[in-house]
């Protein structure tokens, strides 16, 4: 784990031509599609006085909804990271009947409209449902609890980690693993020493995307959450509530806080990922 | 396909398959069961209904435009943030990612604030006869926003892992940027690009939240498939809603078959 | 060579931009058109009424007419119209939503008096739906506040329709407890503490109660309860509380749009047609109560006409009710403050 790649920014900087055009196109698109709308949002929120703004985002229910959203999104993203890497590895390295079918299902959570996903997951996990039936005798309630929120967020986030890691694994030569394995390393060691360093940037990207998506997810969660104040209300629901009372100021204020938080999380992810990439490429 | 240690299935593999069964296969079966709960005849009638067809057409059109725009942009963006060093690079990367974490409700609202009746832009656009909100352009914009990072995000890790040495060498030998991109970079990223395009397509077809705010739900004009499904559901047409949802599932599977075909041929060519 | 590629890419982007623009520019043909922006469960009702109206319109010498329908959550639909969705008429779940459009400057003040019956051609009320045999013996509002009873209702914050549920409970408390606001708040608070699932919309609540088997009682609009009874015969029972509230889904012509498009006459005729005897019988078939008392009597078998109903004026109209109960920090929020 050397840090010798710092000279990346040295003499080799911008040797590759086309910087102007590439940056130009990228900046134009980012401004048009992302910056302008979000700026409009910020301007709208800042029309509130600081006092009003503060009051809107620090009400007890709003604060607890922030906590629920962040906690569930982080937990779901962690589960997705673990299971996603595993699924990707299984899809690339193992052969079993129905594999192609499984591979094809990975995008299902995206194609299914979020409301239908929410309704489906709720029906499966209520105590009488196909999955809930198994857990109900153990005393574990899934639907209408925080567990349900995490389940919904795991579902909507599955494709991110799997699809980020899969191409990297495919590029990776399987024989490394094989030789490590033959030399007596157990699965866990092979994974930690041989596979993980290679897929880390991709896995982190997937993790970040799943986390980000989880923070903002609304459609599927409202069906499974139960939406009980102080317990299972998520932040996007609070925004929706404000909108339905035509309180644009209050809605945009909460939105702005969520936005700032996600920007920070994503920035952090990008910095971590850049480090990871620098290490592996070195 | 390479085979390693597949003679026995270790615990992690079983775990992964169990996870996939619970989270992917069971929901799929549930959708199919609900869709067919009133029989095949009713199912076919549901999915061939006039307004369902119109909604499907609109969803397909939107998806094609969005995927094209995002592919072009995604290539530029991924290339820009990995092949050059410039101040604010990480902030730019983060901005590209940002739409992911924005609640669809909020992104819809943001576009309303820019293009809606309360915005000064509304009168201006009205003047030149261009309707954005509650018309197809609004739907396309909302979908574009929601799927904005999908393609670039899939390529960025591959590109940053690959480094810049090859491109720099090519540049020193005097190659233009497009040649460098096409000859040197593209072969590395084509599979990630393909994955990104598939993700983006699936997400664009299924997008509900942001589009719901900008579409106006005009039946036969601005109603996309997910919106149509929501209306059916809210009208107590439970199984019809699932029947129409199955169209989206089928479309997504078609895209995946296409991906497999491209990948299969491509890899054969490489070998 | 290098230049060429750049030009090519730029051309591609331009074509895409034109595509985007071009999609919006379609012009309507020579036929007349009318847009009705409505809320969720009225789609089939209006599909049928539109056919009726179009036929009548063309018979009396009008030009061919197409009516476009739009359905969604009532509050969201109101936001859309306020932000530029070109609706000639709006037919929403509650007056407060149309007031929001009025506030945005699209509908003139006093619209509520322009059509009969407070501009509500059909009405409904709040009832309870319980499971077969009514195992928990739920007969009236106090039963919902009892310990061990699971209640399902949508969230009044996100669902306009659910605000009627809350107000109905409040009306009961006011009348029977005699006490001040505090007593009412405790009573309604006890009901909401029994709520197992606070769905974001009415349909979600029905799914929680019916499809997912949650709770013992669903607080619902009468029309939705009757629809559920029809779809699941024998599985549920409807219980009418001793005091309920008259739900008035309001309709209005959107003045700014009809003046711009020159469709005022047609739009007004469209809404007035909702009060015609034939249409009144049609709405009854979709489980809404006709606002024409004579026609309502014709359907005395279907609707429980003995329910005592208060109405929104009891709360000082929607403006006041909204502010007092559902605004930030209002009564509904106080119920949940710890």
């Amino acid at each position: 784990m050397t840090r010798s790649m710092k000279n990346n920014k040295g003499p080799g900087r911008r040797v590759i031509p086309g910087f102007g055009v590439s940056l130009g196109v990228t900046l134009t698109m980012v401004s048009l599609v992302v910056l302008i709308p979000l700026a409009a949002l910020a301007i709208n929120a800042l029309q509130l006085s600081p006092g009003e703004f503060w009051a809107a985002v620090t009400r007890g229910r709003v604060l607890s909804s922030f906590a629920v959203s962040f906690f569930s999104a982080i937990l779901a993203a962690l589960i997705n990271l673990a299971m996603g890497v595993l699924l990707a590895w299984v899809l690339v390295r193992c052969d079993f009947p129905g594999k192609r079918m499984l591979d094809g299902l990975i995008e299902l959570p995206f194609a299914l409209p979020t409301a239908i996903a929410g309704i489906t997951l709720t029906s499966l996990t209520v105590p009488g449902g196909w999955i809930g039936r198994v857990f109900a005798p153990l005393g574990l309630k899934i639907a209408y609890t925080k567990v349900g929120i995490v389940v919904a967020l795991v579902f909507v986030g599955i494709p991110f980690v799997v699809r980020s890691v899969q191409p990297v694994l495919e590029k990776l030569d399987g024989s490394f693993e094989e030789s490590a394995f033959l030399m007596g390393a157990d699965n866990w060691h092979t994974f930690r020493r041989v596979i993980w360093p290679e897929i880390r940037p991709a896995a982190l990207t997937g993790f970040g995307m799943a986390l980000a998506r989880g923070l903002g997810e609304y459609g599927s969660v409202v069906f499974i959450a139960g939406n009980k104040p102080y317990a299972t209300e998520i932040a996007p629901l609070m925004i929706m509530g404000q909108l339905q009372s035509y309180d644009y100021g209050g809605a945009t204020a909460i939105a702005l806080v969520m936005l700032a938080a996600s920007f920070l999380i994503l920035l952090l992810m990008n910095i971590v990922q850049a480090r990871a990439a620098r290490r592996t490429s070195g | 396909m390479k085979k390693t240690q597949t003679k026995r299935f270790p615990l992690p593999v079983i775990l992964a398959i169990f996870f996939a069964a619970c989270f992917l296969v069971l929901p799929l079966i549930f959708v199919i069961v609900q869709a067919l709960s009133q029989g095949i005849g009713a199912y076919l009638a549901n999915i061939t209904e006039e307004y369902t067809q119109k909604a499907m057409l609109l969803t397909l059109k939107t998806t094609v435009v969005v995927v094209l725009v995002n592919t072009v942009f995604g290539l530029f963006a991924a290339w820009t943030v990995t092949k050059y060093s410039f101040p604010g690079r990480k902030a730019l990367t983060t901005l590209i990612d940002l739409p992911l974490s924005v609640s669809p409700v909020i992104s819809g609202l943001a576009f309303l604030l820019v293009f809606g009746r309360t915005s000064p832009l509304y009168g201006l656009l009205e003047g030149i006869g261009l309707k954005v909100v509650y018309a197809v352009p609004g739907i396309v914009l909302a979908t574009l926003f929601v799927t904005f990072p999908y393609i670039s995000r899939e390529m960025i890790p591959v590109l940053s892992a690959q480094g810049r040495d090859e491109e720099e060498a090519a540049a020193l030998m005097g190659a233009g940027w497009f040649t460098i991109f096409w000859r040197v970079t593209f072969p590395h990223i084509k599979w990630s690009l393909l994955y990104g395009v598939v993700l983006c397509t699936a997400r664009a077809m299924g997008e509900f939240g942001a589009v719901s705010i900008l579409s106006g739900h005009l039946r036969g004009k601005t109603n996309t498939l997910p919106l149509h499904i929501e209306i059916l559901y809210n009208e107590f047409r439970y199984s019809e809603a699932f029947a129409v949802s199955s169209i989206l599932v089928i479309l997504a599977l078609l895209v995946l078959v296409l991906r497999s075909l491209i990948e299969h041929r491509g890899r054969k060519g490489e070998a | 060579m290098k230049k060429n590629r750049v030009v090519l890419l730029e051309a591609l982007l331009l074509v895409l931009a034109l595509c985007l623009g071009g999609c919006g520019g379609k012009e309507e043909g020579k036929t007349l058109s009318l847009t009705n922006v409505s809320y969720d469960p009225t789609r089939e009702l209006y599909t049928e009424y539109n056919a009726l109206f179009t036929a009548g319109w063309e018979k009396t010498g009008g030009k061919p007419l197409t009516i476009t329908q739009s359905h969604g959550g009532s509050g969201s639909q109101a936001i859309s119209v306020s932000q530029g969705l070109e609706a000639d008429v709006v037919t929403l779940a509650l007056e407060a939503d149309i007031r929001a459009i009025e506030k945005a400057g699209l509908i003139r003040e006093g619209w509520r008096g322009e059509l009969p019956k407070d501009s509500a051609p059909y009405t409904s009320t709040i009832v309870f739906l319980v499971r077969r045999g009514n195992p928990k013996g739920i007969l009236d509002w106090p039963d919902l506040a009892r310990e061990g009873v699971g209640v399902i209702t949508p969230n009044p914050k996100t669902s306009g329709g659910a605000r009627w549920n809350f107000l109905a409970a409040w009306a009961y408390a006011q009348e029977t407890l005699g006490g001040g606001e505090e007593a009412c708040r405790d009573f309604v608070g006890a009901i909401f503490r029994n709520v197992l699932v606070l769905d974001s919309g009415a349909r979600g609540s029905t799914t929680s109660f019916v499809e997912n088997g949650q709770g013992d009682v669903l607080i619902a609009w009468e029309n939705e309860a009757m629809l559920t009874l029809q779809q699941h015969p024998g599985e549920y029972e409807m219980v009418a509380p001793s005091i309920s509230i008259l739900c008035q889904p309001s309709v209005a012509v959107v003045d700014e749009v009809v003046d711009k498009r020159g469709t005022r006459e047609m739009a007004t005729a469209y809404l007035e047609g909702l009060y015609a005897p034939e249409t009144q019988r049609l709405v009854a078939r979709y489980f809404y109560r006709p606002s024409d008392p004579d026609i309502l009597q014709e359907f005395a078998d279907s609707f429980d006409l003995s329910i005592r109903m208060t109405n929104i004026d009891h709360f000082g109209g929607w403006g006041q009710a909204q502010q007092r109960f559902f605004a930030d920090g209002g009564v509904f929020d106080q119920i949940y403050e710890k």
Side-chain angles (χ1 to χ4, degrees):
Chain A
M1 297 206 189
T2 53
R3 292 268 186 109
S4 61
M5 292 309 290
K6 281 234 168 107
N7 58 2
N8 230 8
K9 288 185 180 173
R13 191 176 179 191
R14 278 183 222 162
V15 172
I16 307 164
F19 177 68
V21 179
S22 312
L23 187 69
V25 171
T26 310
L27 280 182
T28 310
M29 283 296 283
V30 168
S31 311
L32 277 180
V33 180
V34 182
L35 272 182
I36 292 178
L38 295 185
L41 203 66
I43 290 168
N44 210 278
L46 296 175
Q47 275 167 1
L48 296 173
S49 76
E52 287 170 323
F53 184 92
W54 187 247
V57 298
T58 54
R59 270 191 310 133
R61 274 173 76 185
V62 176
L63 284 181
S64 85
S65 76
F66 282 144
V68 171
S69 277
F70 281 102
F71 175 77
S72 328
I74 290 172
L75 194 61
L78 283 174
I79 296 175
N80 267 328
L81 177 63
M83 298 316 287
V85 168
L86 203 58
L87 258 179
W89 185 79
V90 168
L91 285 175
V92 173
R93 291 284 186 264
C94 297
D95 268 332
F96 53 91
K99 181 179 127 168
R100 290 195 86 98
M101 174 76 186
L102 186 61
D103 194 19
L105 280 184
I106 299 290
E107 266 87 11
L108 179 72
F110 282 176
L112 218 52
T114 45
I116 291 292
I119 297 158
T120 302
L121 288 172
T122 312
S123 302
L124 288 174
T125 55
V126 290
W130 296 349
I131 296 175
R133 203 174 291 168
V134 181
F135 289 98
L138 309 174
L140 179 65
K141 278 190 71 181
I142 299 176
Y144 311 121
T145 64
K146 286 185 182 125
V147 184
I149 301 180
V150 175
V151 166
L153 295 185
V154 168
F155 179 78
V156 297
I158 290 173
F160 291 116
V161 178
V162 180
R163 292 305 193 220
S164 306
V165 172
Q166 214 173 349
V168 183
L169 272 181
E170 271 165 4
K171 265 177 69 181
L172 207 67
D173 198 343
S175 57
F176 275 131
E177 287 161 53
E178 204 157 7
S179 49
F181 191 67
L182 287 177
M183 287 191 304
D186 60 22
N187 282 331
W188 174 241
H189 257 89
T190 315
F191 174 76
R192 267 217 52 196
R193 292 294 154 92
V194 183
I195 308 176
W196 178 242
E198 291 294 328
I199 60 170
R200 188 165 45 194
L204 285 181
T205 297
F207 172 78
M209 288 173 92
L211 177 63
R213 173 87 201 270
L215 282 177
E217 177 59 17
Y218 172 79
S220 59
V221 177
V222 287
F223 286 97
I224 202 169
N227 307 325
K228 267 176 284 190
Y230 291 106
T232 53
E233 265 185 335
I234 53 165
L237 181 71
M238 302 304 295
I239 298 170
M240 202 60 181
Q242 301 284 30
L243 271 187
Q244 297 289 323
S245 339
Y246 311 107
D247 182 358
Y248 287 71
T252 45
I254 302 176
L256 201 64
V257 171
M258 291 294 286
L259 207 61
S262 0
F263 184 81
L264 286 179
I265 291 178
L266 289 170
L267 188 64
L268 203 69
M269 295 300 305
N270 280 326
I271 292 172
V272 170
Q273 194 210 313
R275 286 232 173 119
R278 212 174 291 157
R279 279 183 208 157
T280 46
S281 69
Chain B
M1 285 272 126
K2 294 166 212 120
K3 269 195 211 178
T4 46
Q5 17 169 326
T6 48
K7 307 289 172 285
R8 61 202 172 97
F9 288 107
L11 189 69
V13 178
I14 294 169
L15 194 66
I17 292 173
F18 177 73
F19 172 83
C22 280
F23 273 94
L24 297 171
V25 181
L26 275 182
L28 177 70
I29 295 175
F30 186 85
V31 170
I32 296 170
V33 168
Q34 292 297 338
L36 295 175
S37 63
Q38 292 185 337
I40 291 276
Y43 174 77
L44 289 178
N46 287 336
I47 63 169
T48 49
E49 198 255 345
E50 181 194 352
Y51 289 105
T52 308
Q53 296 285 316
K54 283 191 175 163
M56 186 164 86
L57 216 63
L58 178 60
T59 294
L60 287 178
K61 270 199 239 164
T62 309
T63 306
V64 169
V65 175
V66 165
V67 171
L68 280 178
V69 173
N70 270 341
T71 306
V72 173
F73 164 74
L75 285 169
F76 268 106
W79 165 272
T80 308
V81 301
T82 52
K83 296 301 167 199
Y84 307 105
S85 301
F86 54 93
R89 189 165 58 100
K90 286 193 187 98
L92 181 63
T93 318
T94 310
L95 271 180
I96 296 170
D97 289 348
L98 202 56
L100 267 177
S101 67
V102 178
S103 187
V105 179
I106 285 305
S107 39
L109 177 66
F111 279 107
L112 265 194
L113 294 174
V114 179
F115 293 107
R117 213 178 63 92
T118 46
S119 148
L121 215 57
Y122 182 78
L124 220 74
L125 291 171
E126 181 114 295
I128 58 167
L130 180 65
K131 275 186 79 72
V132 177
V133 284
Y134 313 117
V136 179
I139 296 173
V140 172
L141 264 180
T143 315
L144 204 58
F145 178 89
V146 173
T147 56
F148 198 57
Y150 281 62
I151 294 179
S152 58
R153 255 293 137 200
E154 289 302 307
M155 292 183 290
I156 288 172
V158 179
L159 280 179
S160 55
Q162 179 228 341
R164 297 174 195 163
D165 303 350
E166 293 175 48
E167 282 87 355
E168 281 169 359
L172 291 176
M173 289 192 286
W177 73 271
F178 190 85
T179 318
I180 299 182
F181 168 77
W182 188 248
R183 294 280 167 82
V184 181
T185 313
F186 189 73
H188 287 287
I189 52 168
K190 55 185 175 192
W191 303 124
S192 336
L193 175 64
L194 190 60
Y195 279 105
V197 167
V198 171
L199 278 179
C200 180
T201 309
R203 184 78 176 83
M205 287 191 309
E207 170 51 23
F208 169 75
V211 170
S212 148
I213 289 180
L214 287 177
S215 111
H217 300 94
L218 294 170
R219 194 165 66 144
K221 289 182 187 163
T222 61
N223 230 13
T224 63
L225 266 189
L227 298 183
H228 189 60
I229 292 166
E230 169 91 351
I231 290 165
L232 288 172
Y233 170 77
N234 278 332
E235 241 189 359
F236 295 75
R237 299 307 197 85
Y238 200 67
S239 70
E240 287 180 28
F242 277 93
V244 179
S245 307
S246 74
I247 299 180
L248 282 171
V249 174
I250 293 168
L251 286 176
L253 290 177
L254 278 181
V255 171
L256 286 158
V257 170
L258 212 63
R259 189 205 84 189
S260 295
L261 282 179
I262 295 175
E263 215 177 348
H264 195 66
R265 288 189 122 188
R267 301 217 176 215
K268 246 192 198 160
E270 269 177 11
Chain C
M1 167 91 181
K2 187 177 125 190
K3 271 254 166 77
N4 279 346
R5 304 284 195 180
V6 178
V7 169
L8 196 77
L9 274 167
E10 276 172 354
L12 186 66
L13 279 176
L14 193 70
V15 167
L16 283 169
L18 284 177
C19 271
L20 281 177
C23 293
K26 271 179 213 153
E27 276 301 310
E28 297 287 324
K30 272 187 190 148
T31 56
L32 292 170
S33 68
L34 188 78
T35 303
N36 173 9
V37 170
S38 191
Y39 70 112
D40 282 327
T42 58
R43 189 185 64 141
E44 279 176 72
L45 165 61
Y46 277 108
T47 305
E48 204 164 323
Y49 173 60
N50 288 346
L52 213 67
F53 180 77
T54 316
W57 174 263
E58 282 164 15
K59 210 187 288 166
T60 54
K63 281 189 202 142
L65 167 67
T66 15
I67 300 174
T68 307
Q69 290 169 245
S70 162
H71 300 269
S74 188
S76 316
Q77 294 287 73
I79 291 175
S80 297
V81 175
S82 314
Q83 288 287 354
L85 175 60
E86 279 198 345
D88 298 281
V89 298
V90 285
T91 52
L92 298 176
L94 71 169
E95 198 193 311
D97 291 330
I98 296 188
R99 276 166 162 274
I101 304 172
E102 179 193 319
K103 253 198 201 153
L106 288 158
I107 296 178
R108 279 201 301 262
E109 224 174 301
W111 57 271
R112 198 178 176 225
E114 279 172 20
L115 288 164
K117 305 277 176 192
D118 299 334
S119 209
Y122 40 85
T123 64
S124 192
T125 189
I126 299 301
V127 296
F128 306 149
L129 201 62
V130 298
R131 302 191 186 280
R132 179 173 42 202
N134 198 353
K136 294 267 168 126
I138 289 156
L139 300 172
D140 206 351
W141 291 105
D143 297 314
L144 271 58
R146 249 176 19 211
E147 213 165 297
V149 171
V151 178
I152 305 290
T153 174
N155 186 342
K157 284 272 196 174
T158 46
S159 156
R163 287 176 202 159
W164 297 104
N165 301 10
F166 182 94
L167 292 177
W170 191 271
Y172 174 88
Q174 233 174 8
E175 185 130 354
T176 53
L177 299 175
E181 173 155 333
E182 195 141 337
C184 296
R185 200 177 341 171
D186 287 346
F187 178 77
V188 179
I191 294 179
F192 272 85
R193 263 187 293 282
N194 275 345
V195 171
L196 298 175
V197 182
L198 202 58
D199 278 293
S200 60
R203 183 62 182 101
S205 283
T206 313
T207 308
S208 296
F209 184 74
V210 174
E211 251 81 30
N212 297 331
Q214 297 294 303
D216 306 301
V217 53
L218 170 74
I219 312 178
W221 282 45
E222 183 187 48
N223 63 310
E224 293 173 13
M226 288 169 82
L227 195 62
T228 308
L229 288 177
Q230 185 195 38
Q231 290 184 341
H232 304 268
E235 285 180 50
Y236 303 96
E237 289 172 20
M238 201 164 88
V239 174
S242 64
I243 295 178
S244 190
I245 193 166
L246 179 70
C247 307
Q248 295 173 297
S250 309
V251 301
V253 169
V254 184
D255 295 301
E256 195 182 278
V257 175
V258 292
D259 287 344
K260 194 178 89 186
R261 301 185 61 229
T263 47
R264 176 175 291 279
E265 189 195 350
M266 187 168 59
T268 311
Y270 181 80
L271 291 186
E272 277 168 353
L274 289 169
Y275 293 89
E278 200 182 348
T279 326
Q280 290 281 298
R281 286 188 192 98
L282 175 72
V283 299
R285 286 212 308 280
Y286 285 96
F287 306 123
Y288 282 101
R289 293 181 175 221
S291 63
D292 182 329
D294 297 333
I295 294 177
L296 182 59
Q297 281 303 327
E298 290 175 23
F299 290 89
D301 300 344
S302 334
F303 299 108
D304 181 352
L305 298 184
S306 67
I307 301 179
R308 259 185 66 214
M309 286 184 231
T310 180
N311 61 34
I312 193 63
D313 294 330
H314 176 75
F315 295 94
W318 266 112
Q320 273 192 34
Q322 176 71 31
Q323 199 53 37
R324 179 176 166 207
F325 292 100
F326 307 115
D328 266 357
V331 173
F332 180 72
D333 277 348
Q334 289 162 23
I335 281 176
Y336 279 106
E337 294 304 334
K338 276 179 184 163

